[in-house]
Amino acid sequence: MSLINEYRATEEAIKELQERLKNLSQDDKLKKELEFEGKLRTLMGEYQKSLRDIIALLDPDARTSKLPRAAKAASTGSKRARKVKQYKNPETGEVIETKGGNHKTLKEWKAKWGADTVESWATILG
């Protein structure tokens, strides 16, 4: 983009944003929210309270509800181990033991005979 095109695009964006700001400044809901925020901040300053103090007052469980989840996630350590499956091909008599579906021969079998059929050959070992 040439510099003049960038200038014009920026100028147009500024005009659009100014129009949006003008519309927002005339909105009664925004005026009420700004008034509320101003009064709340004045009150917080009067009583020397922070936003965290207000949140703790209005929702005392907000901090404690996050702690058990974090502690629980840290205590579990890792995912549960996958169980070993044994597949016995009735066509060839070949046996495969694997924990996942990323086994080369298993993929070949599934491509040749279909995933449902190959899964029916599986036995869970533990």
mmCIF file of all heavy atoms in Angstrom, residues 23-44:
data_model
loop_
_atom_site.group_PDB
_atom_site.id
_atom_site.type_symbol
_atom_site.label_atom_id
_atom_site.label_comp_id
_atom_site.label_asym_id
_atom_site.label_seq_id
_atom_site.Cartn_x
_atom_site.Cartn_y
_atom_site.Cartn_z
ATOM 1 N N ASN A 23 -21.838 9.015 18.703
ATOM 2 C CA ASN A 23 -23.071 8.270 18.968
ATOM 3 C C ASN A 23 -23.070 7.671 20.374
ATOM 4 O O ASN A 23 -24.089 7.678 21.059
ATOM 5 C CB ASN A 23 -23.270 7.175 17.929
ATOM 6 C CG ASN A 23 -23.604 7.732 16.558
ATOM 7 O OD1 ASN A 23 -24.046 8.870 16.436
ATOM 8 N ND2 ASN A 23 -23.375 6.945 15.532
ATOM 9 N N LEU A 24 -21.931 7.129 20.788
ATOM 10 C CA LEU A 24 -21.844 6.545 22.135
ATOM 11 C C LEU A 24 -22.005 7.597 23.222
ATOM 12 O O LEU A 24 -22.634 7.353 24.247
ATOM 13 C CB LEU A 24 -20.501 5.814 22.317
ATOM 14 C CG LEU A 24 -20.396 4.436 21.698
ATOM 15 C CD1 LEU A 24 -18.970 3.920 21.798
ATOM 16 C CD2 LEU A 24 -21.345 3.473 22.389
ATOM 17 N N SER A 25 -21.423 8.779 23.000
ATOM 18 C CA SER A 25 -21.496 9.826 24.023
ATOM 19 C C SER A 25 -22.920 10.339 24.214
ATOM 20 O O SER A 25 -23.247 10.910 25.252
ATOM 21 C CB SER A 25 -20.554 10.979 23.684
ATOM 22 O OG SER A 25 -20.984 11.627 22.514
ATOM 23 N N GLN A 26 -23.792 10.115 23.233
ATOM 24 C CA GLN A 26 -25.183 10.540 23.358
ATOM 25 C C GLN A 26 -26.076 9.427 23.916
ATOM 26 O O GLN A 26 -27.253 9.648 24.160
ATOM 27 C CB GLN A 26 -25.709 10.981 21.995
ATOM 28 C CG GLN A 26 -25.007 12.219 21.469
ATOM 29 C CD GLN A 26 -25.379 12.538 20.036
ATOM 30 O OE1 GLN A 26 -26.062 11.768 19.374
ATOM 31 N NE2 GLN A 26 -24.917 13.684 19.544
ATOM 32 N N ASP A 27 -25.512 8.247 24.146
ATOM 33 C CA ASP A 27 -26.277 7.100 24.632
ATOM 34 C C ASP A 27 -26.530 7.237 26.139
ATOM 35 O O ASP A 27 -25.599 7.455 26.925
ATOM 36 C CB ASP A 27 -25.497 5.813 24.341
ATOM 37 C CG ASP A 27 -26.304 4.571 24.638
ATOM 38 O OD1 ASP A 27 -27.468 4.695 25.074
ATOM 39 O OD2 ASP A 27 -25.773 3.468 24.442
ATOM 40 N N ASP A 28 -27.797 7.126 26.539
ATOM 41 C CA ASP A 28 -28.163 7.265 27.951
ATOM 42 C C ASP A 28 -27.586 6.137 28.806
ATOM 43 O O ASP A 28 -27.208 6.352 29.952
ATOM 44 C CB ASP A 28 -29.687 7.306 28.107
ATOM 45 C CG ASP A 28 -30.280 8.613 27.585
ATOM 46 O OD1 ASP A 28 -29.548 9.626 27.548
ATOM 47 O OD2 ASP A 28 -31.465 8.616 27.214
ATOM 48 N N LYS A 29 -27.519 4.932 28.262
ATOM 49 C CA LYS A 29 -26.961 3.808 29.023
ATOM 50 C C LYS A 29 -25.505 4.066 29.376
ATOM 51 O O LYS A 29 -25.070 3.791 30.495
ATOM 52 C CB LYS A 29 -27.070 2.508 28.217
ATOM 53 C CG LYS A 29 -28.469 1.953 28.101
ATOM 54 C CD LYS A 29 -28.461 0.639 27.329
ATOM 55 C CE LYS A 29 -29.857 0.091 27.164
ATOM 56 N NZ LYS A 29 -29.870 -1.168 26.383
ATOM 57 N N LEU A 30 -24.744 4.583 28.409
ATOM 58 C CA LEU A 30 -23.335 4.888 28.657
ATOM 59 C C LEU A 30 -23.209 5.965 29.721
ATOM 60 O O LEU A 30 -22.373 5.852 30.625
ATOM 61 C CB LEU A 30 -22.640 5.340 27.375
ATOM 62 C CG LEU A 30 -21.175 5.765 27.561
ATOM 63 C CD1 LEU A 30 -20.310 4.580 27.964
ATOM 64 C CD2 LEU A 30 -20.638 6.407 26.301
ATOM 65 N N LYS A 31 -24.055 6.968 29.643
ATOM 66 C CA LYS A 31 -24.003 8.040 30.640
ATOM 67 C C LYS A 31 -24.255 7.495 32.043
ATOM 68 O O LYS A 31 -23.571 7.860 32.996
ATOM 69 C CB LYS A 31 -25.025 9.131 30.301
ATOM 70 C CG LYS A 31 -24.642 9.951 29.086
ATOM 71 C CD LYS A 31 -25.696 10.985 28.756
ATOM 72 C CE LYS A 31 -25.342 11.760 27.508
ATOM 73 N NZ LYS A 31 -26.361 12.723 27.128
ATOM 74 N N LYS A 32 -25.237 6.593 32.169
ATOM 75 C CA LYS A 32 -25.542 6.015 33.482
ATOM 76 C C LYS A 32 -24.374 5.155 33.972
ATOM 77 O O LYS A 32 -24.032 5.193 35.158
ATOM 78 C CB LYS A 32 -26.817 5.183 33.420
ATOM 79 C CG LYS A 32 -28.065 6.019 33.333
ATOM 80 C CD LYS A 32 -29.297 5.178 33.487
ATOM 81 C CE LYS A 32 -30.506 6.097 33.501
ATOM 82 N NZ LYS A 32 -31.593 5.576 34.261
ATOM 83 N N GLU A 33 -23.761 4.368 33.078
ATOM 84 C CA GLU A 33 -22.637 3.528 33.476
ATOM 85 C C GLU A 33 -21.448 4.376 33.916
ATOM 86 O O GLU A 33 -20.784 4.065 34.900
ATOM 87 C CB GLU A 33 -22.225 2.597 32.336
ATOM 88 C CG GLU A 33 -23.141 1.414 32.183
ATOM 89 C CD GLU A 33 -22.618 0.389 31.182
ATOM 90 O OE1 GLU A 33 -21.386 0.188 31.102
ATOM 91 O OE2 GLU A 33 -23.457 -0.209 30.486
ATOM 92 N N LEU A 34 -21.173 5.448 33.183
ATOM 93 C CA LEU A 34 -20.073 6.338 33.553
ATOM 94 C C LEU A 34 -20.342 7.017 34.892
ATOM 95 O O LEU A 34 -19.432 7.174 35.718
ATOM 96 C CB LEU A 34 -19.840 7.385 32.453
ATOM 97 C CG LEU A 34 -19.219 6.856 31.153
ATOM 98 C CD1 LEU A 34 -19.214 7.943 30.084
ATOM 99 C CD2 LEU A 34 -17.809 6.348 31.401
ATOM 100 N N GLU A 35 -21.581 7.404 35.121
ATOM 101 C CA GLU A 35 -21.956 8.022 36.397
ATOM 102 C C GLU A 35 -21.770 7.020 37.537
ATOM 103 O O GLU A 35 -21.214 7.350 38.588
ATOM 104 C CB GLU A 35 -23.408 8.500 36.336
ATOM 105 C CG GLU A 35 -23.890 9.149 37.615
ATOM 106 C CD GLU A 35 -25.367 9.527 37.559
ATOM 107 O OE1 GLU A 35 -26.011 9.346 36.501
ATOM 108 O OE2 GLU A 35 -25.871 9.991 38.589
ATOM 109 N N PHE A 36 -22.218 5.779 37.318
ATOM 110 C CA PHE A 36 -22.073 4.735 38.328
ATOM 111 C C PHE A 36 -20.602 4.475 38.627
ATOM 112 O O PHE A 36 -20.193 4.378 39.782
ATOM 113 C CB PHE A 36 -22.756 3.450 37.861
ATOM 114 C CG PHE A 36 -22.545 2.291 38.789
ATOM 115 C CD1 PHE A 36 -23.246 2.206 39.988
ATOM 116 C CD2 PHE A 36 -21.639 1.288 38.481
ATOM 117 C CE1 PHE A 36 -23.049 1.148 40.849
ATOM 118 C CE2 PHE A 36 -21.441 0.228 39.343
ATOM 119 C CZ PHE A 36 -22.148 0.149 40.529
ATOM 120 N N GLU A 37 -19.784 4.368 37.574
ATOM 121 C CA GLU A 37 -18.360 4.114 37.771
ATOM 122 C C GLU A 37 -17.711 5.242 38.571
ATOM 123 O O GLU A 37 -16.920 4.997 39.489
ATOM 124 C CB GLU A 37 -17.648 3.964 36.426
ATOM 125 C CG GLU A 37 -16.161 3.678 36.595
ATOM 126 C CD GLU A 37 -15.388 3.735 35.292
ATOM 127 O OE1 GLU A 37 -15.866 4.361 34.319
ATOM 128 O OE2 GLU A 37 -14.289 3.166 35.265
ATOM 129 N N GLY A 38 -18.061 6.471 38.244
ATOM 130 C CA GLY A 38 -17.502 7.611 38.967
ATOM 131 C C GLY A 38 -17.873 7.583 40.442
ATOM 132 O O GLY A 38 -17.018 7.784 41.316
ATOM 133 N N LYS A 39 -19.140 7.310 40.736
ATOM 134 C CA LYS A 39 -19.597 7.256 42.124
ATOM 135 C C LYS A 39 -18.948 6.095 42.870
ATOM 136 O O LYS A 39 -18.565 6.224 44.031
ATOM 137 C CB LYS A 39 -21.115 7.140 42.182
ATOM 138 C CG LYS A 39 -21.836 8.412 41.807
ATOM 139 C CD LYS A 39 -23.337 8.255 41.902
ATOM 140 C CE LYS A 39 -24.064 9.538 41.541
ATOM 141 N NZ LYS A 39 -25.530 9.393 41.639
ATOM 142 N N LEU A 40 -18.809 4.949 42.179
ATOM 143 C CA LEU A 40 -18.188 3.782 42.802
ATOM 144 C C LEU A 40 -16.725 4.052 43.128
ATOM 145 O O LEU A 40 -16.260 3.743 44.227
ATOM 146 C CB LEU A 40 -18.304 2.561 41.878
ATOM 147 C CG LEU A 40 -17.707 1.256 42.418
ATOM 148 C CD1 LEU A 40 -18.406 0.823 43.700
ATOM 149 C CD2 LEU A 40 -17.787 0.161 41.368
ATOM 150 N N ARG A 41 -16.009 4.667 42.209
ATOM 151 C CA ARG A 41 -14.594 4.972 42.456
ATOM 152 C C ARG A 41 -14.448 5.987 43.590
ATOM 153 O O ARG A 41 -13.532 5.888 44.406
ATOM 154 C CB ARG A 41 -13.926 5.466 41.179
ATOM 155 C CG ARG A 41 -13.780 4.351 40.149
ATOM 156 C CD ARG A 41 -12.786 4.688 39.052
ATOM 157 N NE ARG A 41 -12.698 3.618 38.085
ATOM 158 C CZ ARG A 41 -11.940 2.537 38.203
ATOM 159 N NH1 ARG A 41 -11.203 2.381 39.280
ATOM 160 N NH2 ARG A 41 -11.921 1.616 37.258
ATOM 161 N N THR A 42 -15.350 6.960 43.655
ATOM 162 C CA THR A 42 -15.325 7.937 44.745
ATOM 163 C C THR A 42 -15.556 7.238 46.078
ATOM 164 O O THR A 42 -14.843 7.488 47.060
ATOM 165 C CB THR A 42 -16.401 9.020 44.527
ATOM 166 O OG1 THR A 42 -16.173 9.647 43.271
ATOM 167 C CG2 THR A 42 -16.377 10.058 45.630
ATOM 168 N N LEU A 43 -16.532 6.351 46.115
ATOM 169 C CA LEU A 43 -16.845 5.602 47.326
ATOM 170 C C LEU A 43 -15.678 4.691 47.732
ATOM 171 O O LEU A 43 -15.338 4.598 48.912
ATOM 172 C CB LEU A 43 -18.112 4.776 47.102
ATOM 173 C CG LEU A 43 -18.763 4.131 48.314
ATOM 174 C CD1 LEU A 43 -19.213 5.195 49.316
ATOM 175 C CD2 LEU A 43 -19.946 3.283 47.882
ATOM 176 N N MET A 44 -15.058 4.048 46.750
ATOM 177 C CA MET A 44 -13.906 3.187 47.036
ATOM 178 C C MET A 44 -12.768 4.013 47.630
ATOM 179 O O MET A 44 -12.105 3.578 48.577
ATOM 180 C CB MET A 44 -13.441 2.484 45.752
ATOM 181 C CG MET A 44 -14.367 1.380 45.287
ATOM 182 S SD MET A 44 -14.055 0.750 43.611
ATOM 183 C CE MET A 44 -12.337 0.381 43.614
#
